[in-house]
Amino acid sequence: MCGIVGYVGFDPATPILLKGLEKLEYRGYDSAGVAVYDEKDGLRIEKAKGKLRVLCEKLHDGKDVNGTIGIGHTRWATHGAPSDINSHPQVSDHGKFAVVHNGIIENYLTLKEFLLGKGITFVSETDTEVIAQLLEYYYEGNIFSALVKVLQKLEGSYALGVICTDAPNELYAVRKDSPLIVGLGKGENFIASDVPAILSKTRDIYRLKDQEIVKLTRNQVEVLNMDGARIEKEKVHIDWDVNAAEKGGYEHFMFKEIMEQPKALRDTISPRLRDGRIVLDDITLTREQVEKIRRICVVACGSAYHVGMVAKYTLEKLTRIPVEAEVASELRYRDPIIDKSTLVIVVSQSGETADTLAALREAKKRGARVLSIVNVVGSSIANESDDVIYTWAGPEIAVATTKAYSTQLAVVYMIAIYLADLLGKLSPEEYENYIQCLQKLPEQVEDALKDKESIQYFASKYFNAKDIFFIGRNLDYALSMEGSLKLKEISYIHSEAYAAGELKHGTISLIENGTLVVALATIDSLFEKIMSNVKEVKARGAYVLGVTTREHTAIQSEADYAFYVPKTCEMMQPSLAVIPLQLFAYYVAAMKGCDIDKPRNLAKSVTVE
Ligand code: G6P
């Protein structure tokens, strides 16, 4: 959470920082700020509560602030409410150091007490201010040495950008458990939390590892370890299409990303299908190792956890290995039964989610093999896993995930088929059928997307709903969780997802005349069962939207309204049924006038516990 950028070069820094922050707003957007140094004007700090546009307006898009070196920040508040004062950059008592920070300093109170005891005055409630104050406190003329001393005192996570008035041509940066990259330009260099922030300026980057300290000037980038020794870094060239991180004529990133799903699926599936076989070059698991797996544990947060729920049903059914899916924040603190006979599958779009990363480390400590499904190449989770399968979804900007979720599902299917085949659990006919379904999936998603107008129409009738329930069984239950989350995160409508058979054990008491219930009924063998649940809620006054496959027209006699999706094998049905749910959430939020790409209180990359 929080996005940071830094620039040192010959051009005016402020417009560059603001443009970079615009691309990082998905990481947090409750306030923003810049610190820019100019020989004449000195260190200028400009901050504003609210979205970045407030700051941009205040600074006339940066034209008002001189200087060719600076740092910027867009915030997702942890310590201290969103306010001008708590916004970053935070500055030391005598104005020598300015710092931007992403992460949490866990021992900041102890450090603050120490500094207060030395007579240092604090102005904000942030943990970050402690870093700026400590830098000034330990500074004896050498910024690198002061930084090392401070880092030795810090507990927690950080990506930092630092400038000092004594060295107006130098920008310093360092990370631990929070992402940070270095952008390498000609006569200019950059730091950023993520690639899109610098993509319009350079495509050559360094990915930093924990506690590598970078000193950037206009013409040089030095990466040093904590002892001051130089580290040779490998230059990574980013070959994304710049448009991938732009809205490209769409009103919202979320809608663009929904529409990009067929392509994202093609890019994820096609390279892994060769001559009718799934080829997972990315993983090194041998048949012997697979035969020794006694348990699979899928760990993730948010929508990625919902992928984990689908994975539980799918992997168990195909491999007959017991599978557990758990949210990472729970797994990491419960002394889990994980050992070397456990395969831990970690799912994460960003590859930086703090709880997921911590759960991965816990699993590795206990001897498990870790296979991760990640979208961001070179991210921490990808780096620390034994095997990584990348979802080639491209950059996902909207906070509410759509195309990353869909590609994660596709990877889960491929892993399930691959493992089941290695274990000899699939007949040649079954295998072939799965491959055909995988091949057709992108096209079928395209087909499902064509129905968007009918969903838009339905959304126009229900965008004022107070409560919406999603019910389903088995894979449809896993999908209900995602449909419900999508809706509540962007439209702020209260919603719950329930295993359809469980509703009558309490929650059915909430159904009133007109309450909308979305019933997912895509599993043939459970169609009649879910129709019974539909009858139960209708008998209590619910208005029911049914989502099913095209041949189940019988749903019309039970539900009040129906969406049909194309049919695939049972296992892959969630990939098609999720489309109307994503579109429904999107249209409802649009009709309510919500800020779809940046919903309140949320952030896309959650790098705090
Ligand atoms: C945030 C995002 C969700 C995402 C979750 C996990 O809450 O808003 O869309 O599913 O984090 O993120 P990850 O990057 O690990 O998939």
Side-chain angles (χ1 to χ4, degrees):
M1 3 246 335
C2 303
I4 71 176
V5 284
Y7 173 80
V8 52
F10 290 97
D11 291 335
T14 317
I16 295 173
L17 295 173
L18 294 174
K19 281 250 159 353
L21 289 177
E22 203 180 282
K23 297 282 181 293
L24 296 178
E25 249 196 314
Y26 72 86
R27 304 180 64 85
Y29 34 82
D30 56 43
S31 50
V34 293
V36 178
Y37 186 85
D38 178 64
E39 251 174 50
K40 266 209 280 102
D41 302 349
L43 183 66
R44 197 156 149 198
I45 311 288
E46 291 291 345
K47 314 199 270 193
K49 181 182 164 188
K51 300 231 163 80
L52 180 67
R53 105 177 91 77
V54 181
L55 182 70
C56 292
E57 275 163 24
K58 182 174 161 195
L59 305 180
H60 298 103
D61 289 328
K63 288 196 256 333
D64 284 7
V65 185
N66 298 324
T68 55
I69 179 168
I71 48 181
H73 188 270
T74 175
R75 182 168 186 245
W76 188 86
T78 57
H79 295 58
S83 69
D84 290 359
I85 294 222
N86 288 333
S87 312
H88 300 202
Q90 290 292 322
V91 181
S92 58
D93 216 4
H94 299 98
K96 208 176 255 310
F97 286 91
V99 174
V100 284
H101 169 216
N102 165 207
I104 288 188
I105 303 307
E106 284 162 6
N107 60 337
Y108 88 103
L109 276 177
T110 320
L111 297 169
K112 191 166 177 174
E113 267 164 36
F114 165 77
L115 291 163
L116 286 169
K118 303 285 174 196
I120 292 165
T121 322
F122 280 77
V123 293
S124 80
E125 299 160 273
T126 65
D127 50 344
T128 307
E129 190 178 356
V130 160
I131 305 173
Q133 303 288 20
L134 277 177
L135 278 167
E136 194 170 270
Y137 180 77
Y138 284 117
Y139 179 63
E140 288 172 335
N142 182 322
I143 300 171
F144 178 82
S145 308
L147 194 53
V148 171
K149 274 195 196 130
V150 174
L151 297 181
Q152 283 162 346
K153 300 270 175 303
L154 301 182
E155 287 167 21
S157 58
Y158 47 80
L160 300 175
V162 176
I163 54 174
C164 173
T165 51
D166 278 1
N169 299 313
E170 295 171 8
L171 164 64
Y172 289 81
V174 61
R175 65 160 279 186
K176 182 177 159 275
D177 295 338
S178 288
L180 194 65
I181 57 153
V182 174
L184 307 163
K186 287 200 177 70
E188 55 183 3
N189 289 301
F190 311 81
I191 57 162
S193 299
D194 197 0
V195 174
I198 52 150
L199 207 55
S200 63
K201 294 283 174 187
T202 178
R203 288 172 171 275
D204 290 328
I205 65 158
Y206 290 152
R207 292 189 191 283
L208 293 180
K209 294 212 175 102
D210 278 358
Q211 300 208 310
E212 289 179 343
I213 300 173
V214 203
K215 178 181 165 189
L216 303 95
T217 58
R218 288 166 171 160
N219 294 313
Q220 208 185 10
V221 173
E222 271 183 294
V223 183
L224 308 164
N225 69 14
M226 297 273 278
D227 299 325
R230 232 186 135 132
I231 300 170
E232 283 313 313
K233 295 292 293 179
E234 192 190 331
K235 199 190 276 183
V236 178
H237 185 76
I238 305 291
D239 52 12
W240 298 348
D241 175 1
V242 178
N243 297 331
E246 303 287 338
K247 272 192 218 158
Y250 288 98
E251 199 175 337
H252 299 105
F253 276 111
M254 184 179 176
F255 193 69
K256 174 179 178 249
E257 289 161 6
I258 290 175
M259 299 309 282
E260 280 173 351
Q261 289 179 107
K263 177 180 183 316
L265 283 167
R266 249 174 230 123
D267 292 348
T268 302
I269 297 170
S270 304
R272 290 162 175 140
L273 289 187
R274 278 179 235 152
D275 301 325
R277 310 279 313 162
I278 292 179
V279 184
L280 296 183
D281 286 335
D282 344 41
I283 68 175
T284 54
L285 260 179
T286 61
R287 179 191 302 265
E288 292 68 43
Q289 284 167 327
V290 173
E291 279 165 357
K292 286 191 188 132
I293 298 171
R294 292 288 156 266
R295 243 175 101 239
I296 298 176
C297 190
V298 192
V299 193
C301 299
S303 293
Y305 164 68
H306 297 156
V307 170
M309 290 180 66
V310 171
K312 175 181 163 56
Y313 290 110
T314 306
L315 284 161
E316 239 169 32
K317 186 155 185 180
L318 264 66
T319 65
R320 306 311 294 156
I321 300 172
V323 183
E324 220 181 310
E326 192 164 2
V327 285
S329 52
E330 281 299 305
L331 180 125
R332 61 183 291 196
Y333 292 122
R334 79 169 168 85
D335 195 7
I337 304 173
I338 288 179
D339 59 23
K340 60 179 179 1
S341 67
T342 317
L343 172 68
V344 172
I345 301 183
V346 172
V347 191
S348 176
Q349 187 282 128
S350 62
E352 300 291 348
T353 304
D355 283 317
T356 312
L357 184 59
L360 177 157
R361 289 177 179 161
E362 185 62 39
K364 288 203 78 171
K365 220 165 43 189
R366 289 166 190 254
R369 194 181 171 94
V370 175
L371 162 62
S372 63
I373 303 173
V374 175
N375 194 41
V376 177
V377 176
S379 53
S380 302
I381 290 175
N383 283 340
E384 295 189 29
S385 302
D386 297 302
D387 295 300
V388 191
I389 305 189
Y390 284 109
T391 48
W392 298 119
E396 193 180 60
I397 311 291
V399 166
T401 177
T402 51
K403 62 175 179 171
Y405 171 87
S406 285
T407 52
Q408 287 161 352
L409 285 185
V411 172
V412 163
Y413 308 148
M414 288 191 277
I415 295 175
I417 301 164
Y418 182 83
L419 294 183
D421 182 52
L422 273 186
L423 293 170
K425 305 263 184 205
L426 296 179
S427 69
E429 295 71 38
E430 284 171 317
Y431 190 88
E432 204 192 316
N433 180 39
Y434 285 138
I435 299 293
Q436 281 180 9
C437 291
L438 267 176
Q439 272 164 337
K440 274 201 240 145
L441 207 54
E443 198 182 306
Q444 288 183 303
V445 167
E446 221 153 50
D447 190 9
L449 284 167
K450 286 189 187 138
D451 230 5
K452 51 185 181 315
E453 278 74 27
S454 80
I455 294 158
Q456 191 174 18
Y457 167 73
F458 187 80
S460 71
K461 295 177 71 165
Y462 265 87
F463 74 99
N464 276 326
K466 291 271 170 295
D467 303 285
I468 300 183
F469 293 85
F470 287 75
I471 58 171
R473 289 169 181 261
N474 194 283
L475 285 166
D476 280 337
Y477 170 48
L479 189 59
S480 304
M481 303 285 290
E482 179 59 8
S484 170
L485 178 66
K486 215 67 325 161
L487 182 80
K488 61 190 147 199
E489 62 187 342
I490 60 168
S491 75
Y492 317 138
I493 294 177
H494 167 253
S495 166
E496 289 188 42
Y498 256 81
E502 184 64 13
L503 201 66
K504 56 186 160 296
H505 297 289
T507 311
I508 203 162
S509 64
L510 298 177
I511 304 291
E512 294 174 352
N513 255 347
T515 307
L516 178 59
V517 175
V518 181
L520 303 180
T522 70
I523 301 173
D524 290 346
S525 56
L526 297 173
F527 185 78
E528 296 308 332
K529 296 283 167 208
I530 187 97
M531 287 309 111
S532 307
N533 302 125
V534 166
K535 284 195 184 89
E536 287 162 10
V537 291
K538 276 198 67 83
R540 276 124 190 122
Y543 185 89
V544 175
L545 164 67
V547 177
T548 187
T549 51
R550 285 181 184 151
E551 68 267 36
H552 283 300
T553 45
I555 203 163
Q556 278 166 8
S557 53
E558 307 296 349
D560 298 286
Y561 200 91
F563 290 152
Y564 297 99
V565 293
K567 177 128 180 91
T568 177
C569 57
E570 184 175 300
M571 167 169 98
M572 299 183 201
Q573 208 58 65
S575 293
L576 297 167
V578 76
I579 301 296
L581 306 188
Q582 293 170 341
L583 287 168
F584 178 60
Y586 173 80
Y587 285 124
V588 165
M591 281 162 203
K592 288 187 74 179
C594 299
D595 191 346
I596 294 182
D597 288 335
K598 293 176 207 139
R600 71 179 177 215
N601 303 341
L602 298 181
K604 185 155 192 72
S605 180
V606 184
T607 52
V608 296
E609 258 196 62

